[in-house]
Amino acid sequence: MIYHVVSHHIRKSIQVISLSLCLLPALTYVGLARPVTASDTVTPPPVIVIGFVGGFVRHDATVHSAVQVAAHLRHDYPTGVYVEVLENSRREKAYEDIVRFIDANRDGALSIEEKKNARIILYGHSWGASEVVTLARELQRQGIPVLLTVQVDSVVKFGENDRVIPANVAEAANFYQLDGLLHGESLISAAEPSRTHIIGNFRSNYKANPVDCKEYPWYDRVFMKFHTEIECDPRVWAQVESLIQSRLPVRR
């Protein structure tokens, strides 16, 4: 009887020891596993598209083409792309929004990796086009790249330079007309041609090919006739939109 009791306890002890030996590798693996960090749950930043309207136009004035382009992009890219159109006096807000979006881990400081992953497109008309280049230059000082800038009849603001595209911009395009008292910059160039591709400087002639801008205020059509016509020219803005879309993720 005593022999059977002792034998039973010995068998139980062997089973416990065997089970422990089987579990030891798994426990060791779990103990050595890399802890989950904030970087494991980071969501990639969206492509950021910022547009600037010209003159004293409001950001929600839907008659203006820059606003319409933003509306089209929001509709066509409901996810993965952040689109914003602003008054040309609000460049600081655009900069703050860009920094906020590319700060993927939300720690309040941009890492080299976060800056490198930034995908930014800027476009604008008139004074808004001048702000496009100025914002790109501001981003350059922080080491933030820009995929594309598009200027439409760019009118330089005091103290700015809308002609020379900074080296952090990969590609740049310029649409302009030369008629009337108010007309755009006719020739943009790259500060560093080896780093920035100038897609082209594209001229429109509205004396030869007028555009009806009947939805625009009469004073725009009278005093800034040709400058207004390039703003409402669907051919120009279709090209602007196409350039932007070609740099966006493939729609599913």
Side-chain angles (χ1 to χ4, degrees):
M1 180 68 178
I2 294 174
Y3 170 78
H4 288 297
V5 171
V6 171
S7 180
H8 172 74
H9 283 293
I10 290 174
R11 286 197 302 273
K12 285 292 184 182
S13 298
I14 291 172
Q15 290 173 357
V16 171
I17 292 171
S18 298
L19 180 61
S20 298
L21 290 173
C22 291
L23 291 175
L24 183 59
L27 292 171
T28 303
Y29 178 79
V30 171
L32 293 176
R34 181 173 61 87
V36 176
T37 64
S39 61
D40 295 320
T41 58
V42 166
T43 302
V47 180
I48 302 167
V49 182
I50 303 287
F52 291 105
V53 289
F56 301 100
V57 175
R58 288 180 51 84
H59 72 279
D60 55 357
T62 55
V63 70
H64 293 273
S65 296
V67 180
Q68 294 173 15
V69 166
H72 297 163
L73 294 174
R74 289 191 195 102
H75 176 269
D76 293 343
Y77 298 87
T79 60
V81 179
Y82 173 77
V83 184
E84 184 174 32
V85 62
L86 296 167
E87 292 83 0
N88 59 75
S89 60
R90 303 186 73 192
R91 187 183 75 247
E92 292 79 6
K93 182 184 186 305
Y95 177 82
E96 291 170 359
D97 288 345
I98 288 171
V99 170
R100 175 167 53 87
F101 272 105
I102 66 177
D103 182 15
N105 61 9
R106 302 294 184 261
D107 67 350
L110 296 181
S111 66
I112 293 175
E113 190 71 16
E114 286 171 332
K115 292 178 181 180
K116 186 178 72 173
N117 290 336
R119 295 169 296 167
I120 301 165
I121 296 171
L122 307 174
Y123 74 95
H125 169 255
S126 191
W127 279 350
S130 182
E131 289 299 294
V132 161
V133 182
T134 302
L135 177 56
R137 194 168 287 115
E138 189 174 3
L139 293 170
Q140 180 188 34
R141 289 193 288 269
Q142 301 302 322
I144 300 172
V146 175
L147 286 176
L148 172 71
T149 61
V150 184
Q151 297 162 256
V152 178
D153 224 28
S154 187
V155 177
V156 67
K157 278 188 168 184
F158 180 77
E160 297 183 352
N161 179 350
D162 63 346
R163 176 177 293 184
V164 180
I165 307 303
N168 63 320
V169 176
E171 296 185 286
N174 180 46
F175 298 85
Y176 70 97
Q177 57 80 32
L178 291 177
D179 300 310
L181 295 175
L182 189 62
H183 53 78
E185 174 57 55
S186 62
L187 183 65
I188 63 170
S189 60
E192 295 185 31
S194 63
R195 297 180 60 186
T196 302
H197 170 57
I198 302 299
I199 298 169
N201 292 279
F202 306 104
R203 181 183 177 182
S204 296
N205 185 340
Y206 295 104
K207 285 185 176 180
N209 302 287
V211 175
D212 185 5
C213 302
K214 60 184 178 181
E215 295 184 359
Y216 280 65
W218 67 268
Y219 45 83
D220 283 346
R221 290 182 279 121
V222 171
F223 297 111
M224 297 184 292
K225 175 176 170 59
F226 301 111
H227 188 60
T228 298
E229 287 188 36
I230 195 171
E231 186 186 6
C232 76
D233 186 347
R235 296 165 298 186
V236 167
W237 290 92
Q239 293 179 75
V240 172
E241 193 167 332
S242 177
L243 283 171
I244 294 172
Q245 288 190 338
S246 68
R247 276 77 181 170
L248 297 180
V250 177
R251 285 178 287 179
R252 296 179 179 178

